[in-house]
Amino acid sequence: MRLNRLLASVAILAMTVSTATAQTPPAPQPSGDPVEVEIDQGVLRPMQIAVVNFNGQNGADLGGVIRADLRRSGYFEPMDPAGFVETGLTLANAPNFPQWTSIGAQAVLYGAVTPRPDGRNDFGFRLYDPYRQCQLASYQFTATPEQWRRIGHKIADLIYQRMTGESGLFDSRVVFVSESGTQLNRLSRLAISDQDGFNPVYLTQGDEVIMSPRFSLNDPNEITYVALGRDYSRIYLFNLSTGRRESLGEFDGQVLAPRFSNDGSKMAFSIIRGGNTDVYVMDLASRNLRRLTSDPGIDTSPSFSPDNSQIVFTSDRSGSARLYTMRADGTGQRPISRGGGLYTAPNWSPRGDLIAFTKQGGGRFSTGVMATDGSGERILSSSYFEEGPSWAPNGRYIMFARQSPGGDTRLWTVDLSGRVVSQAGYPGRGTDPAWSPLLDEQPANLGGGGPDGCPT
């Protein structure tokens, strides 16, 4: 797998972007803030990539967004542009390869922002391997000038895809609970931002307690969340494109932890009723409700497998919180977690191979993953307090909330190796993050093209 080779060798709203179909920029003729990333637990040698500031409108800021995304992934180390020898690169010319190898650049990215008569811009780029002296990728997007930041994320995704063989994650958003105020007068609002924390938008006013926001993986414009009022708890559907909010109805008991099925047709959640907590599933078209568990313990936090055939959930029916799986109709319930400690907040990977969870034990909280049968448990991150893991759309990173002793709760990310841990970009207090799917599908094949294209 290309990603493994790379590790071994180098280690809100909806916007419409018109994407060219594998369009290549004209062939040559015959700001983001610094990102702090903690790398530990072994040696990771990121790829030295030279990201040249793009020519044209917002070109320097565009380059900054791309550098920040790639650095945060842990697999790339963008080089300081002040050390670049060659200047004046244009899409019509290939780089002077010896000038880039002389400073140790293992890849060179450059591009241009070109205005169009209709008021939009063309954003074109080329990615070269200076050692093999061939083009790795070229592509062009067309979008309004205001969308330059999102185009930067899309370009970073294509670089990540080309260099690792894995789908990207940067052209995505995060919905979460934004907190402000004091312990005695805390304000919680439903918030959404780009995955790097930029462009935050607050979707509620703070007159309700917000819990458990989740995206529909079938539609990145559809979310669900729980709102608690003085005398009610409700599950809402909220459409980010239209702003329409819809309640799933009134329930006899308090509702908790809603989550969409991966095709968006159903909603699984828990209801506290008569001192008992059980998992239910609702068909969103008919609003028919079905009870899946009936154990006297607390059964909560259901999460569907990608093919919707199974559900993982937390239950304390054995005396302590453990992870269980069952078929989507409620049959075949069995425990899968095997270690000591308390297991909560399970989340099935979009790749289908792993389940993320929060674990409490030894006076600490941890974020970990295990195989779907409970084997191969690995702890990726531990701290004073952390909870609520949510998968990136490519299934390679996890976002969670972390708090230090006496500090505020912030959003953090960790990669599947556990080596790359970083604070997410949102500067305020946040909990309960949920990562969206990619806002657009990425190209199925991204190649260098042209006579100087690198071999696949």
Side-chain angles (χ1 to χ4, degrees):
M1 184 175 292
R2 291 194 186 100
L3 180 58
N4 294 331
R5 290 202 299 269
L6 177 63
L7 286 168
S9 62
V10 291
I12 135 134
L13 300 170
M15 299 179 182
T16 302
V17 176
S18 173
T19 303
T21 305
Q23 184 176 349
T24 301
Q29 297 301 313
S31 193
D33 294 331
V35 178
E36 294 186 4
V37 178
E38 170 191 341
I39 300 178
D40 57 15
Q41 299 181 19
V43 177
L44 183 69
R45 301 183 61 187
M47 172 177 283
Q48 300 291 303
I49 183 169
V51 179
V52 181
N53 288 334
F54 280 39
N55 298 321
Q57 184 179 9
N58 297 119
D61 293 332
L62 185 65
V65 169
I66 296 168
R67 283 190 288 270
D69 281 346
L70 296 178
R71 179 178 292 111
R72 198 163 45 250
S73 77
Y75 299 138
F76 301 89
E77 182 54 49
M79 305 173 73
D80 184 352
F84 296 168
V85 177
E86 184 176 18
T87 60
L89 282 168
T90 71
L91 291 175
N93 301 101
N96 183 319
F97 298 117
Q99 292 195 11
W100 295 99
T101 56
S102 69
I103 62 172
Q106 295 170 287
V108 181
L109 172 79
Y110 59 96
V113 182
T114 307
R116 295 165 55 103
D118 62 6
R120 296 182 297 166
N121 286 338
D122 287 334
F123 299 80
F125 75 87
R126 295 186 184 278
L127 178 68
Y128 275 88
D129 181 333
Y131 287 90
R132 290 192 291 166
Q133 300 190 4
C134 56
Q135 183 174 259
L136 290 162
S138 61
Y139 213 77
Q140 181 171 291
F141 296 99
T142 300
T144 62
E146 296 77 15
Q147 293 176 298
W148 65 267
R149 177 171 284 279
R150 184 177 173 199
I151 295 301
H153 295 317
K154 295 177 75 66
I155 292 172
D157 273 333
L158 295 185
I159 297 167
Y160 183 95
Q161 177 185 347
R162 181 63 177 90
M163 302 306 292
T164 70
E166 300 284 343
S167 176
L169 67 150
F170 304 115
D171 183 30
S172 59
R173 294 175 288 182
V174 178
V175 65
F176 57 97
V177 178
S178 171
E179 294 186 344
S180 58
T182 65
Q183 289 285 351
L184 298 178
N185 187 23
R186 178 173 296 178
L187 184 72
S188 73
R189 292 182 292 174
L190 181 66
I192 191 168
S193 72
D194 296 346
Q195 54 78 28
D196 60 354
F198 281 80
N199 301 319
V201 175
Y202 302 97
L203 304 174
T204 61
Q205 302 303 312
D207 52 348
E208 298 171 309
V209 175
I210 304 301
M211 300 171 59
S212 305
R214 298 290 183 266
F215 273 98
S216 167
L217 299 186
N218 187 56
D219 181 355
N221 285 315
E222 195 77 21
I223 62 174
T224 185
Y225 65 95
V226 170
L228 302 180
R230 288 183 178 273
D231 56 358
Y232 64 86
S233 67
R234 294 179 185 144
I235 297 175
Y236 285 107
L237 300 178
F238 189 97
N239 188 283
L240 298 169
S241 180
T242 65
R244 182 173 183 267
R245 187 173 88 156
E246 175 186 5
S247 171
L248 288 188
E250 300 297 326
F251 299 93
D252 179 18
Q254 182 175 328
V255 291
L256 297 170
R259 184 164 285 162
F260 289 96
S261 61
N262 287 281
D263 61 3
S265 67
K266 296 180 177 62
M267 183 80 70
F269 53 93
S270 293
I271 302 178
I272 303 175
R273 193 178 281 169
N276 193 41
T277 306
D278 284 303
V279 174
Y280 292 75
V281 66
M282 173 180 280
D283 182 278
L284 294 178
S286 67
R287 298 301 168 91
N288 288 332
L289 186 66
R290 180 177 181 181
R291 183 175 177 176
L292 299 185
T293 67
S294 57
D295 192 273
I298 297 174
D299 299 333
T300 189
S301 301
S303 174
F304 284 91
S305 63
D307 64 1
N308 302 307
S309 67
Q310 297 183 76
I311 293 173
V312 62
F313 63 102
T314 296
S315 177
D316 68 353
R317 62 184 64 178
S318 67
S320 63
R322 301 175 66 186
L323 301 188
Y324 288 71
T325 58
M326 61 181 168
R327 300 184 187 93
D329 62 1
T331 62
Q333 298 178 24
R334 65 185 185 93
I336 60 169
S337 55
R338 303 170 184 175
L342 305 177
Y343 293 81
T344 58
N347 192 338
W348 214 302
S349 165
R351 301 167 69 99
D353 56 339
L354 296 171
I355 293 170
F357 56 87
T358 298
K359 184 176 182 178
Q360 181 183 359
R364 294 173 69 81
F365 287 76
S366 301
T367 298
V369 294
M370 64 176 66
T372 58
D373 63 358
S375 63
E377 178 179 322
R378 291 186 292 122
I379 298 301
L380 305 179
S381 169
S382 294
S383 63
Y384 169 75
F385 177 80
E386 54 191 63
E387 66 174 354
S390 176
W391 291 95
N394 67 356
R396 288 289 180 182
Y397 299 82
I398 294 171
M399 186 174 290
F400 57 96
R402 173 188 278 188
Q403 182 183 19
S404 58
D408 292 330
T409 304
R410 307 283 182 170
L411 304 182
W412 285 70
T413 60
V414 62
D415 77 325
L416 271 186
S417 73
R419 297 185 178 96
V420 183
V421 187
S422 63
Q423 186 173 325
Y426 178 68
R429 290 153 53 186
T431 64
D432 247 346
W435 216 318
S436 80
L438 287 177
L439 303 184
D440 289 326
E441 290 188 11
Q442 291 180 275
N445 296 294
L446 184 72
D452 63 345
C454 293
T456 301

